[in-house]
Amino acid sequence: MKIKSIIKYMLVVGFFSTSCNKMDLEPISTISEKSFWKSENDATGALNGLYFHMRSVSSQNLYLWGEGRSEILGSSITASQGYDIYYNNALNATVTGPNWQSMYLIVHDANLLIKNVPNIQFTNEKNKNSILGQAYATRAWAYFVMSKTWGGLPLVLEPTTGNDPERVNQKKSTQIEVFKSIKDDIEISLTYLTDAEFPQGKNVWSRPAVQALKAEVYLWSGKLLQGGENDVRIALAAIQEVELSKVDLLPNFSDVFSPSNENNQEIIFSLSYNSLEPTRSTIFNWMYANDGYFPANLTDSETKLALGVLGGGYGIAPTAIVRNQFTTDDLRRNATFLEIYVTQDGIKKFHSSVNMKFRGVVVNGAREYTNDYILFRYADILLMKAEAKNYLNQDPTEEINLIRKRAYGAAYQDHVFVNTNKVQNDAEILKERLFEMMFEGKRWWDLIRFNKAIELVPSMKGKPVEQLLWPISQETLSLEPGVEQNPGY
């Protein structure tokens, strides 16, 4: 769905925008709930509002929750712009990073759709089912993102349009209870989304996208929430259904992320950004070079050509600890980041590094960071499949080598994966996910799922395991008296 009308955005947001100060969410528009939920157009407008809020979250917060605390990013040559609290893992009870209110706004959107759409007359029942399937999938996804980040959560499954104290003061459900609700919503979504084909564009939930979500959810619960082999088998079955859809690896890695090639065959689900739309600029703005800090003594014409038009915050950059793990024959290396060197006193010295994966497009001579935010793509699914197979004592060789054949091209024979044992295989799969998925908002959660965050993130060394979860903001605690701070803070 490429939502191109700013007027439509404002109408939708005007009705569905709510106070982000509490989960007691009330419409601020003069349009009442009773007068709105009458037609198919009302339901479609509400669904557009839901995706608008998902896009807003993915412009920065989703990346910070999923990757900001990992070892991928560090300081660049400018001020840190406040991102150092994430990569230094300096979060505490006072400095908590983005809170969960924006995600509960998405939950609220989904809850309204789930409650009201069944009562609306549609000319085509398939359209009605599609909207309901997308709403249930979104609610599952939102709670999954939040539970990976904060653990147990208040489980709000009805629209919170009033001041009922039992809802406003709701206590946290356990993470296992939250995951049960996530799984229930996924199954309901799949009963509505029965078409295995993708819709036009891949910017809305489809059956393959929900199956991809199901795979990750069950991998998480299988490995971390005592679901064990049964849950991992369910994850593997979901992956196998994704593979029945029209997805495949693109021959050229860099083509996956080309703004001119969005919604390509490798993409399963992404959130769209377009030039001249609201919330079009993303966190990746801070990972690219700008003129003010560009080295005057850069003489490498090849680097200049690769960089093209400058224009970014230049505040955060890929760390040496990650860059140095890529071999020079890995074709993903230059497609993921570019190292900039300068010549000083006849000596070539490292200056900085920039993100090449999501550097936007040039519009009227200026760079805009409008790359779609990819939630699921086929390479991710293949590596989840390898992870599941390895957990179940099956051979993950085929999946890993499919990824490596593209990654190394002519040098593939020097990097063929050979099955050894579960521990070593897991280490190889996790590293392959780093090389393949860097900058895609996955790394921190991957490290948690593989139980490697404290070991592999330098700023986590010596910290208690409880701090793998994020702290809950003081604002949230003051407005939600039934919620307690997470342990470790």
Side-chain angles (χ1 to χ4, degrees):
M1 179 190 300
K2 295 282 189 181
I3 310 172
K4 296 184 178 178
S5 170
I6 296 177
I7 294 175
K8 180 182 285 187
Y9 276 134
M10 300 313 295
L11 288 173
V12 169
V13 175
F15 178 71
F16 285 97
S17 286
T18 53
S19 170
C20 288
N21 291 328
K22 58 199 303 185
M23 286 188 296
D24 175 25
L25 301 166
E26 294 185 313
I28 62 173
S29 173
T30 57
I31 304 173
S32 71
E33 209 179 321
K34 291 181 181 178
S35 66
F36 183 81
W37 295 99
K38 299 295 184 183
S39 70
E40 186 172 340
N41 285 339
D42 292 342
T44 301
L47 184 67
N48 288 347
L50 177 149
Y51 282 112
F52 177 84
H53 288 139
M54 286 181 69
R55 284 163 31 101
S56 297
V57 167
S58 69
S59 66
Q60 173 164 276
N61 291 359
L62 188 57
Y63 181 86
L64 291 175
W65 292 325
E67 195 157 280
R69 296 179 63 189
S70 74
E71 80 279 40
I72 282 179
L73 293 180
S75 61
S76 185
I77 60 172
T78 70
S80 69
Q81 308 298 330
Y83 292 111
D84 54 320
I85 64 170
Y86 306 108
Y87 57 74
N88 287 333
N89 276 286
L91 299 174
N92 55 53
T94 303
V95 182
T96 61
N99 63 32
W100 63 37
Q101 306 305 336
S102 57
M103 294 302 295
Y104 273 107
L105 182 56
I106 295 170
V107 169
H108 178 63
D109 290 348
N111 285 341
L112 283 170
L113 286 159
I114 289 166
K115 176 185 176 182
N116 292 293
V117 168
N119 302 320
I120 297 175
Q121 184 91 24
F122 276 66
T123 56
N124 186 327
E125 197 70 12
K126 185 177 180 180
N127 293 341
K128 183 176 186 176
N129 289 341
S130 176
I131 290 175
L132 285 168
Q134 292 174 68
Y136 276 104
T138 301
R139 189 168 73 178
W141 170 81
Y143 275 117
F144 184 44
V145 168
M146 288 194 289
S147 192
K148 288 188 294 183
T149 305
W150 290 282
L153 302 163
L155 200 53
V156 182
L157 302 177
E158 294 285 341
T160 51
T161 55
N163 290 301
D164 183 350
E166 290 186 6
R167 293 185 183 177
V168 176
N169 299 332
Q170 190 168 333
K171 294 183 179 180
K172 289 193 291 187
S173 297
T174 66
Q175 192 171 34
I176 288 176
E177 291 169 336
V178 173
F179 265 71
K180 182 183 183 306
S181 179
I182 293 168
K183 292 174 180 179
D184 288 346
D185 278 354
I186 287 172
E187 294 310 315
I188 296 171
S189 175
L190 290 171
T191 66
Y192 286 116
L193 299 174
T194 58
D195 192 345
E197 297 298 317
F198 290 100
Q200 185 175 5
K202 296 180 179 179
N203 307 123
V204 300
W205 288 104
S206 61
R207 185 176 180 87
V210 178
Q211 291 287 7
L213 172 64
K214 181 176 180 178
E216 188 177 352
V217 165
Y218 276 87
L219 261 182
W220 192 279
S221 63
K223 296 177 75 172
L224 300 180
L225 298 177
Q226 301 159 346
E229 290 189 1
N230 183 63
D231 277 17
V232 176
R233 287 193 185 94
I234 293 172
L236 188 55
I239 289 167
Q240 290 165 343
E241 180 164 338
V242 174
E243 292 181 312
L244 296 176
S245 60
K246 293 180 180 178
V247 293
D248 202 355
L249 295 179
L250 296 190
N252 187 344
F253 178 76
S254 63
D255 288 347
V256 178
F257 313 100
S258 170
S260 63
N261 195 35
E262 291 172 342
N263 296 322
N264 59 69
Q265 195 169 8
E266 188 161 333
I267 302 300
I268 296 171
F269 182 27
S270 62
L271 296 170
S272 67
Y273 291 84
N274 291 312
S275 180
L276 302 180
E277 286 183 345
T279 66
R280 67 184 181 274
S281 186
T282 66
I283 190 173
F284 302 113
N285 164 71
W286 297 104
M287 302 182 197
Y288 208 67
N290 63 38
D291 291 295
Y293 292 93
F294 199 68
N297 53 343
L298 175 65
T299 57
D300 187 344
S301 58
E302 193 172 313
T303 298
K304 286 183 177 180
L305 181 64
L307 286 168
V309 174
L310 303 181
Y314 225 2
I316 41 180
T319 61
I321 195 173
V322 170
R323 299 195 316 268
N324 292 340
Q325 291 182 62
F326 283 78
T327 58
T328 56
D329 57 0
D330 189 335
L331 301 176
R332 295 169 297 192
R333 190 179 195 277
N334 288 344
T336 301
F337 60 87
L338 179 67
E339 292 180 334
I340 301 170
Y341 291 86
V342 296
T343 302
Q344 187 173 342
D345 298 327
I347 301 173
K348 187 177 180 182
K349 294 184 177 181
F350 175 78
H351 177 270
S352 57
S353 182
V354 296
N355 172 7
M356 296 294 282
K357 229 180 207 182
F358 301 116
R359 58 193 185 118
V361 295
V362 177
V363 179
N364 296 325
R367 191 169 292 280
E368 292 188 2
Y369 295 86
T370 56
N371 298 86
D372 284 3
Y373 193 100
I374 300 170
L375 295 180
F376 296 106
R377 62 182 177 93
Y378 186 47
D380 183 11
I381 299 302
L382 280 174
L383 290 172
M384 281 198 279
K385 186 177 183 181
E387 182 182 346
K389 288 174 72 173
N390 190 51
Y391 186 94
L392 297 170
N393 293 303
Q394 299 175 24
D395 185 355
T397 297
E398 180 181 358
E399 290 72 28
I400 298 173
N401 280 336
L402 278 172
I403 297 294
R404 291 190 177 183
K405 282 178 183 178
R406 178 175 72 177
Y408 295 100
Y412 164 65
Q413 291 300 325
D414 296 331
H415 299 276
V416 174
F417 172 81
V418 177
N419 183 31
T420 53
N421 58 68
K422 286 179 72 171
V423 173
Q424 183 59 36
N425 289 351
D426 249 6
E428 291 290 321
I429 294 166
L430 180 59
K431 181 173 283 192
E432 206 64 49
R433 287 189 65 84
L434 170 64
F435 297 155
E436 183 72 25
M437 312 297 296
M438 185 174 171
F439 296 135
E440 295 180 50
K442 305 275 186 176
R443 181 60 175 176
W444 176 254
W445 287 327
D446 283 350
L447 290 167
I448 301 295
R449 197 171 67 244
F450 281 80
N451 194 27
K452 291 293 183 180
I454 292 177
E455 177 184 337
L456 295 180
V457 180
S459 61
M460 282 300 297
K461 296 290 176 63
K463 292 187 181 292
V465 68
E466 290 84 1
Q467 290 190 9
L468 295 175
L469 293 176
W470 286 53
I472 300 170
S473 72
Q474 292 296 326
E475 179 187 20
T476 299
L477 294 173
S478 66
L479 293 169
E480 306 297 336
V483 173
E484 297 179 352
Q485 180 60 274
N486 275 337
Y489 298 100

